[in-house]
Amino acid sequence: MHHFHYQSGELYCENVPVRRVVEAVGTPCYLYSATTLAHHFQVFDAAFTQFPHIVCFAVKANANLAILRLFGRLGAGADIVSGGELYRAVQAGMDPGKIVYSGVGKRPDEIRAALKAGILLFNMESSQELELINCIAGRMKLKARVALRINPDIDAQTHPYISTGLKKNKFGIDIDRALEDYRRAQELPHLEVVGVACHIGSQITQVSPFVDALERLKELIDRLRALSIRIQYLDLGGGLGIQYDQEAPPPPSEYGQKLIEHLKGLECTLILEPGRVLVGNAGILVTKVLYTKASDAKHFIIVDAGMNDLARPSLYGSYHGLWPVVEGQRDQVKASIVGPICETGDFLAKDRLMPAFAPGELLAVLSAGAYGFSMSSNYNARPRVPEILVQDQDFYVIRKRETYRQLIWGESIPDFLK
Ligand code: LLP
């Protein structure tokens, strides 16, 4: 469910006409609905009420401070993968006691910062990382709470670039060598082994891969118990998919219920790291048509947003729905929506049957709330676009459009070129 709808032929986000926002901030811009964000969090959280749990929002999906604050207020923790994400979560006022730190490449300075902040736990992804965290925690005279991120060798049946739980992927510790690493972690004086974790991929549209992964982790938990290692936290990662096009992912209630059925008897706190499912369909990218050009072979609609603003179509061939901001009668054409970037891969939609949008029209690129702004860049020296949060009849600029001055911030010309 989301709060983007038409009223008298105009697209609204909650009770704000999208056009009004564009008049104030221009295009392109990201627009998020606060009511949708809160609703998504509450529905997801409610799906797990029968089991002790913490919902740690995956910051990488949308790292804006206001959005982190919104989730934090509702009781969310955070799943972070870098010192920068830690900084953002803390700046947004999120509870460090509900922060989990995942990722294969944590640097020593990042580990130190996380220990200093007092995060809940580290999801460790390699034997070498175990040793390093132990060493850093020792120097800081602390004990680091850790979980081992296990690679359960499960096919999440999603796009290969966002599948993470297969043996051949770089993530996690092979389930076959996990016992050995747990034994080692248990020996290390500055680690407190508290959990087991996994994350098998993203945009997963069935429950079965999650259940399969959970079953594997349960076997491991049993074997750990035999070694007197008591697992207090079971982190099942994120990955629940959303509808972009024709997909039919299970609703969070069904996902929660099925997982809970398989969790019976386990005495631990469940951690979940949803990203996309909370924010994906709560955001749109608004762009303006600049030109159209048609030849015998192709019909192009050139818009002012490019792959630097929304990378998903270029990177994964992802589908994003397109709605006109003002409804109307238009011919249908088979066209590609392309951006201003000098790359053939710069498209938002490819060879799709769509209304023949004309220059000056505003388009909403749907399902852009997750991995949209957070993956945007300055490629082609394009300032990053503003982010707007709508609540009911009001809208707030939660990130300003970057300026040209900001584009060159920190750069300097060395003396020999002066
Ligand atoms: N936890 C971990 C350890 C992760 O690596 C991820 C996502 C999540 C949680 C959140 O997953 P979600 O619930 O959002 O599926 N840029 C890609 C998605 C990459 C996902 C990376 N990891 C995209 O735009 O589709």
Side-chain angles (χ1 to χ4, degrees):
M1 219 246 313
H2 60 71
H3 289 77
F4 297 96
H5 58 95
Y6 288 99
Q7 219 168 291
S8 317
E10 258 205 75
L11 183 62
Y12 275 63
C13 174
E14 302 199 19
N15 288 315
V16 174
V18 169
R19 203 173 30 87
R20 219 178 87 208
V21 177
V22 169
E23 279 162 14
V25 305
T27 55
C29 62
Y30 276 97
L31 209 65
Y32 311 117
S33 153
T35 306
T36 309
L37 291 165
H39 176 73
H40 284 177
F41 178 81
Q42 281 154 348
V43 166
F44 192 94
D45 194 42
F48 292 93
T49 39
Q50 288 163 42
F51 202 87
H53 69 279
I54 310 175
V55 177
C56 293
F57 172 59
V59 172
K60 63 173 84 63
N62 191 318
N64 186 286
L65 282 191
I67 292 193
L68 299 181
R69 169 69 65 104
L70 184 152
F71 286 138
R73 283 245 176 116
L74 294 172
D79 162 50
I80 59 163
V81 292
S82 69
E85 288 190 353
L86 172 67
Y87 180 76
R88 283 187 166 278
V90 170
Q91 288 296 312
M94 297 183 95
D95 177 1
K98 289 187 188 169
I99 293 181
V100 298
Y101 190 171
S102 314
V104 293
K106 305 177 188 80
R107 284 195 318 252
D109 59 307
E110 295 176 310
I111 294 170
R112 265 193 301 278
L115 281 169
K116 198 165 159 210
I119 65 163
L120 176 59
L121 57 87
F122 291 86
N123 284 329
M124 292 197 293
E125 306 223 15
S126 66
S127 325
Q128 290 178 2
E129 189 187 329
L130 276 179
E131 305 291 335
L132 180 65
I133 296 188
N134 175 62
C135 176
I136 295 174
R139 265 188 252 135
M140 293 174 75
K141 302 196 177 8
L142 292 170
K143 255 192 162 190
R145 279 178 298 275
V146 298
L148 267 62
R149 173 166 172 188
I150 304 302
N151 183 325
D153 196 23
I154 296 281
D155 185 357
Q157 287 165 14
T158 181
H159 191 288
Y161 284 14
I162 53 177
S163 181
T164 51
L166 279 169
K167 247 193 163 113
K168 63 178 183 190
N169 301 136
K170 70 177 175 182
F171 297 98
I173 294 171
D174 246 24
I175 191 150
D176 304 325
R177 65 161 298 155
L179 281 182
E180 200 181 308
D181 281 338
Y182 267 104
R183 262 193 223 106
R184 176 69 185 143
Q186 188 79 335
E187 278 168 21
L188 294 172
H190 308 296
L191 297 186
E192 185 188 352
V193 180
V194 295
V196 53
C198 76
H199 169 79
I200 56 172
S202 198
Q203 184 54 12
I204 299 170
T205 52
Q206 296 159 308
V207 184
S208 54
F210 293 109
V211 170
D212 293 348
L214 172 55
E215 285 301 320
R216 297 218 174 151
L217 294 193
K218 271 166 63 179
E219 277 169 36
L220 178 64
I221 292 175
D222 277 345
R223 291 166 71 186
L224 291 172
R225 195 174 301 126
L227 295 176
S228 307
I229 299 176
R230 204 179 79 73
I231 294 301
Q232 303 168 44
Y233 294 98
L234 168 56
D235 183 340
L236 282 179
L240 184 59
I242 61 170
Q243 186 177 3
Y244 286 96
D245 186 13
Q246 304 293 326
E247 309 89 334
S253 55
E254 182 185 329
Y255 164 78
Q257 202 177 340
K258 293 224 171 110
L259 289 181
I260 288 173
E261 277 167 26
H262 291 262
L263 286 164
K264 283 211 179 85
L266 279 183
E267 280 180 14
C268 61
T269 297
L270 179 66
I271 295 175
L272 297 145
E273 304 172 352
R276 190 188 316 265
V277 71
L278 299 188
V279 291
N281 280 327
I284 59 173
L285 170 66
V286 187
T287 180
K288 188 187 257 174
V289 178
L290 297 174
Y291 308 100
T292 58
K293 78 177 169 182
S295 66
D296 299 347
K298 281 275 183 191
H299 188 118
F300 291 108
I301 296 173
I302 302 159
V303 297
D304 63 359
M307 65 192 280
N308 70 302
D309 303 309
L310 179 64
R312 304 193 70 258
S314 309
L315 209 49
Y316 318 110
S318 321
Y319 179 97
H320 285 263
L322 285 166
W323 284 0
V325 167
V326 178
E327 280 183 313
Q329 288 293 322
R330 301 171 184 87
D331 293 340
Q332 291 281 313
V333 283
K334 193 169 182 195
S336 294
I337 303 265
V338 299
I341 302 271
C342 300
E343 300 238 8
T344 301
D346 178 29
F347 60 87
L348 296 176
K350 212 169 185 178
D351 297 329
R352 197 188 292 178
L353 201 59
M354 64 177 82
F357 297 116
E361 284 198 67
L362 297 174
L363 303 186
V365 184
L366 305 186
S367 315
Y371 307 106
F373 186 88
S374 66
M375 289 174 70
S376 67
S377 78
N378 291 124
Y379 187 41
N380 277 200
R382 287 164 54 82
R384 279 180 300 170
V385 308
E387 294 177 284
I388 317 298
L389 185 63
V390 172
Q391 189 181 43
D392 193 17
Q393 301 181 2
D394 299 312
F395 66 90
Y396 306 87
V397 178
I398 57 173
R399 193 183 210 278
K400 290 184 185 164
R401 189 182 302 283
E402 282 177 351
T403 61
Y404 287 153
R405 267 196 92 76
Q406 282 172 301
L407 273 187
I408 56 167
W409 182 88
E411 294 182 35
S412 58
I413 293 171
D415 282 348
F416 81 96
L417 290 174
K418 279 183 184 156

